[in-house]
Structures are given as structure tokens and as C-alpha cells.
Amino acid sequence: MSNTYGEWLKARREAAGMTQQELADAAIMTRSHISHIEGGRRVPSREDARRLDLALGTGDVLTSFLPDQDAAVAEYFESALQLEQQATVLREFALSFVPGILQTEAYARAVLGMGFPPLSQVECDRAVVARLGRARILQDPKAPVVWALLDEAVLRRPVGGREIMAAQLSHIVSLVESERIRAHVIPFSLGYHPLLENMLTLMWFEDQPPVAYSEGLRMGKLHDSPSVVEVLQGRYALALSDALPLKESLALLKATAKGYEEHG
């Protein structure tokens, strides 16, 4: 994105005689988040921008002139999106769809094009670009550390058709084989498991407490209460303990992808 926004924030902060840490404290944020925004590496959520306006006495300027890319994601996901990009560890659980950061372009387009009323072509293109942009965090060979826990339904539902699913599962296989991520499958044979209600993302950071993000039908919630996060971490650990080991999960991913290719 253009860094005009970040440069303007830095200029207002310096004019107010505040360090990044002082602004972070006043806006209830972290210093690293302020640094990322000023450097053009992050876009604040609307709530973050509102707090920055209050801390700097800039009216609603920072809120009103947020870069347009925020419009390409659901409003309830904005805060989680910014945290996702800062996390050092991500643990994903997917109930129905492949996690966003692991989606191929064709799979993402199929998912985003399923809504009703449908998105316009321009809206769909913007949403796809935004989703693929999230995956850039995987270009770093080490950080964040990513674990993906997939319900078997994610593999079996042919979103977009067999060809798209084969390519999508093969993409996950390549990420696992390159040791960029770990992926485990919760098999249908397990029956009930403690994450069966919603998708879940657990996030850890260098300079702030861990958080969790859960999402259901057209709604999402960011959890930062330590007690709630601990409960969700426990549920994830229980589900992971019942999932297939890495080698067996990889074999199932490969076999399912091959099945889509052979019967496409």
C-alpha cells in the first residue's frame, strides 16, 4: 500500500512530541503495531484508527482516510487480519473451508463467488487479492510458525469442482513437504471433537499476550480475555491430540487430491 497514511501518522505523532511507545500506550496498542503502520507494513483496523485519532487529537482523520484495502475484508475480521499479519505463531482450525492463508487463487475465487446476492466482478477481484495478500506471510521461510488443523470435511467437499480441489490440496501438500507448515486432519471416524462448532485461529506474538479469533456464519469474534483464550487453546490441544499424525495426514491429503484428479 502507499505509505502516505503511515507518514502522516508519524508526522502527527512527532508534532505531538510523542514516542511510538507513548502513542501506543495512549491508544491501547503495541509499539510494534505503531511502527508497522508508520512503515506502511500494516493498515490499522477502524477501532485502532479511532483510538489513534483520540490519542493524537486529530478528530476523525485517521478513521476517515483508512486505505481502501480494508473494504475488501469483512468488517468483523479487520482487527483479526492485522493481528494475523503480526503473529509469530498461528494455529488454525478449519471446519468447512481451507484457512484463508492457505487458499489458492482458484479456490479463493470459488469461495468468495458463492455468496448471494453475488459480488460484482470488481468486488470479487478485490476480495481475492486481499485474501491472497494474507498468504504473503508464508513467503518468510520461518515466521510465523503455522499449524493447520483440518476437519476431514474440508478435504471432502469439492468447493469449486474437482480440478480446483485437487490443486488446492496439492498446494497444502507442498507447504507441508517444504516444512513451511504442519497440517493435521481430524478424521470423520473420530465423531465429535471439541472444535466442531466454529473455525478457530490462535495467535501468539513477540510483545503482547496471545489472542484467539473464532468465526461462524457472517460473524466473527476476537477473544483477548486470558481465561477465554486459555480455554480455546485447551480445546485446540484436545482436538489436535485426536487428529491424524503428520505423515498419515499428508498421505490422506495426497490420496484425496489424487482422487479428485482421477475422477475429474
Side-chain angles (χ1 to χ4, degrees):
M1 71 178 184
S2 168
N3 195 28
T4 302
Y5 189 92
E7 291 171 349
W8 194 89
L9 172 61
K10 181 179 180 181
R12 299 288 75 73
R13 173 180 61 77
E14 291 178 342
M18 301 175 76
T19 65
Q20 287 183 341
Q21 187 60 60
E22 288 170 339
L23 178 57
D25 292 341
I28 318 175
M29 298 168 67
T30 64
R31 187 206 60 77
S32 64
H33 197 173
I34 299 295
S35 176
H36 288 319
I37 296 170
E38 291 186 353
R41 298 182 296 277
R42 301 285 186 270
V43 178
S45 66
R46 286 189 174 86
E47 176 59 22
D48 286 341
R50 185 188 68 80
R51 292 200 300 267
L52 287 168
D53 273 328
L54 287 174
L56 291 169
T58 48
D60 63 353
V61 175
L62 288 163
T63 307
S64 298
F65 293 98
L66 279 169
D68 288 341
Q69 75 175 54
D70 269 0
V73 300
E75 184 174 350
Y76 56 76
F77 182 62
E78 289 175 2
S79 295
L81 172 62
Q82 304 311 316
L83 291 171
E84 176 187 75
Q85 299 296 302
Q86 299 172 49
T88 55
V89 176
L90 286 170
R91 293 192 178 183
E92 298 271 8
F93 166 67
L95 180 62
S96 303
F97 300 109
V98 171
I101 61 170
L102 304 182
Q103 292 181 8
T104 64
E105 179 176 353
Y107 185 95
R109 191 171 295 280
V111 171
L112 293 166
M114 289 177 180
F116 188 85
L119 297 175
S120 69
Q121 187 62 54
V122 172
E123 291 172 328
C124 188
D125 287 344
R126 291 185 64 199
V128 169
V129 168
R131 183 156 298 182
L132 295 179
R134 293 168 54 196
R136 284 198 294 266
I137 58 177
L138 298 178
Q139 294 175 3
D140 187 305
K142 294 184 179 180
V145 175
V146 178
W147 286 19
L149 184 56
L150 309 175
D151 191 282
E152 189 174 348
V154 175
L155 283 60
R156 301 299 184 187
R157 182 171 291 108
V159 174
R162 292 182 175 276
E163 183 177 347
I164 287 176
M165 280 301 299
Q168 174 62 75
L169 297 183
S170 295
H171 174 62
I172 296 174
V173 167
S174 68
L175 289 171
V176 174
E177 290 185 331
S178 67
E179 299 184 346
R180 183 58 189 83
I181 71 168
R182 291 179 66 91
H184 296 267
V185 177
I186 300 178
F188 283 143
S189 59
L190 179 63
Y192 174 84
H193 62 78
L195 296 179
L196 203 52
E197 299 173 8
N198 294 294
M199 64 77 66
L200 177 67
T201 301
L202 302 175
M203 295 177 265
W204 284 262
F205 310 90
E206 287 184 357
D207 57 0
Q208 58 184 307
V211 301
Y213 174 75
S214 61
E215 186 172 302
L217 185 62
R218 300 297 300 167
M219 65 180 66
K221 183 173 178 57
L222 191 65
H223 308 273
D224 56 10
S225 165
S227 61
V228 173
V229 172
E230 184 176 0
V231 167
L232 294 174
Q233 289 172 342
R235 287 194 176 195
Y236 191 100
L238 283 173
L240 181 60
S241 71
D242 286 329
L244 297 177
L246 182 64
K247 289 184 178 180
E248 292 181 29
S249 296
L250 188 58
L252 180 57
L253 284 161
K254 288 181 176 179
T256 309
K258 184 176 180 180
Y260 282 127
E261 291 171 349
E262 292 177 346
H263 299 93

